[in-house]
Every structure is written in structure tokens, then in C-alpha cells.
């Protein structure tokens, strides 16, 4: 089954962009996923092909029009399309690995990329858009956010990662940040690889990795640590 991504944007030339190299690019060439970039401007209603207008109530910048966007969405995602409709938005639910995994198990996604000050609220409601944020900062448009989301999803699609188990051991999958990694040379600028990792004792290695993952999470991400601790203590 192919994961179908449709991106609505004023800059379709930004796609597939970085999604056409490495794992994601090979997976697209193999038909594991598909990507269609739809030019929102093609759905404009006037001869100037305008997609935005001044904000009601005044203020700086421009707002994307509900009527134009509705036409674009209805074209890209007609009734009966079971794919979730996402709006990249700094006001959205923060993107998590759990949501990425949920998307990867579904049929695809329709992703609207905002520009300017954002989009008319009535469109978000009328087309049941799910707002998703990639972090607490403001991008100039939703396109880089859509690329981040798709990159995270595509690597989880069946057959994309060479080693299927590697996806399960990473940061966030266990609720913890990942332990430090090392590889040859054994000594780099007088720094050695921790002895335990070269001991061949798999139980001790697993214990060391878990302890390091817990330490890093406690130090760097108290928010994740509290959730993890509560889940662990309930076991
Ligand atoms: N005035 C808006 C920001 C608009 S930025 C506000 O203050 O909330 C223009 C577009 O970039 C947005 O419509 C959205 O699609 C995208 N964007 C900006 N930051 C983002 C983020 N952190 N996550 C996801 N999309 C973002």
C-alpha cells in the first residue's frame, strides 16, 4: 500500500526538495509513498489570481482566503478521502513520534502549508483541519514544517529503513532520549570508548545504555522524565 501525501502550497517547487534524496527519495522511487504538490493559486477566483487579503479588524500582513483554500482542499481531498487533513501551524498540537507513527500506519495525509499571517479561521473549522506545530518558533511558511513531518513519517513506512528494529530503539520510542553512541577508532584525541561497550557483555551493555538514557532524559528533558517515571512506577 502506498502512503499518499498531498501538499497544498504556494511554492510547489519546494517539493519534493530534500525528500527526494536518501531513504525518502529511494522509497518514493520504489512506490512506497507518493507526493503531489498542489499550487493553491490555481484555485484563485479572480483574474489577479489572489489568494490573500487584509486581516479583518486591521493590523499588519495578509491572511489566506477561506474560499480559495476551500476550492483547493476540495480538489485535493474530495469527499470519501480517508486521509487526515493537516494544517501546519505554530498554534497546533506539537508533533510527536506517537503521532508520526499513527500517520505512518494510515493511508496518507493532506497537508496545507500556510503563508503570510496565517489562514482564515472559518476554513480551519469548515474543512476540519487538524493543526500541527513543529515547535515553538515561527517559520515563514508551512512548507519546511510539512517536509519535517513527511520525513519523520516516511522513514517509518514498511521497508524504508534497512534495519526495522533500529526505529524502535531511538529517542522517544521508549519515552527516553537515546544513550550516547560510539564507533571506531577506539581512541579519539585521548578519549576512549567506555569499557563496558567493548566488553562483549550484553546484559551490562543494556544496563549501561538504559542508565545513560535515563540520566540524559532527567538532565535535559524534565518534561519527558516525569512522564517516564510515572509510567515506570506504575509497572
Ligand atoms: N501569524 C502566525 C504565524 C504565521 S507564519 C502566528 O503568529 O501564529 C506563516 C505560516 O508558517 C503559518 O501559517 C504556518 O503554516 C507556518 N508555520 C510557521 N511556524 C510554524 C510552526 N512552528 N509549525 C508549523 N507551521 C508553522
Amino acid at each position: 500500500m502506498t502512503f499518499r501525501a498531498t501538499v497544498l502550497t504556494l511554492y510547489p517547487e519546494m517539493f519534493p526538495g530534500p525528500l527526494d534524496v536518501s531513504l525518502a527519495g529511494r522509497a518514493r522511487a520504489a512506490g512506497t509513498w507518493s507526493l503531489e504538490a498542489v499550487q493553491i493559486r490555481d484555485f484563485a477566483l479572480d483574474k489577479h489570481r489572489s489568494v490573500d487579503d487584509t486581516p479583518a479588524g486591521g493590523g499588519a500582513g495578509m491572511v489566506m482566503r477561506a474560499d480559495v483554500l476551500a476550492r483547493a482542499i476540495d480538489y485535493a481531498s474530495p469527499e470519501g478521502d480517508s486521509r487526515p487533513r493537516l494544517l501546519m501551524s505554530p498554534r497546533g498540537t506539537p508533533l510527536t513520534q506517537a503521532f508520526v507513527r499513527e500517520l505512518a500506519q494510515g493511508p496518507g495525509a493532506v497537508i496545507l502549508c500556510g503563508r503570510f499571517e496565517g489562514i482564515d479561521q472559518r476554513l480551519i473549522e469548515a474543512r476540519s483541519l487538524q493543526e500541527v506545530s513543529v515547535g515553538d518558533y515561527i517559520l515563514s511558511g508551512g512548507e519546511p514544517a510539512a517536509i519535517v513531518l513527511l520525513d519523520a513519517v516516511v522513514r517509518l513506512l514498511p521497508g524504508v529503513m534497512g534495519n526495522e528494529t533500529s526505529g524502535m530503539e531511538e529517542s522517544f520510542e521508549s519515552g527516553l532520549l537515546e544513550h550516547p553512541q560510539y564507533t571506531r577508532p577506539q581512541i579519539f584525541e585521548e578519549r576512549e570508548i567506555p569499557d563496558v561497550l567493548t566488553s562483549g557483555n550484553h546484559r551490562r551493555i543494556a544496563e549501561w545504555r538504559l542508565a545513560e538514557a535515563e540520566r540524559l532524559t532527567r538532565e535535559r528533558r524534565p518534561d519527558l522524565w516525569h512522564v517516564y517515571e510515572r509510567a515506570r512506577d506504575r509497572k
Side-chain angles (χ1 to χ4, degrees), residues 84-100:
R85 293 177 183 152
L86 311 180
L87 167 64
M88 303 320 295
S89 159
R91 288 192 322 211
T93 309
L95 184 61
T96 60
Q97 188 65 15
F99 184 58
V100 165

Side-chain angles (χ1 to χ4, degrees), residues 88-90 113-118 132-135 137-142 145:
M88 303 320 295
S89 159
C113 301
R115 280 272 157 180
F116 319 118
E117 285 314 308
V132 179
S133 167
V134 294
Y137 43 81
I138 304 295
L139 299 167
S140 53

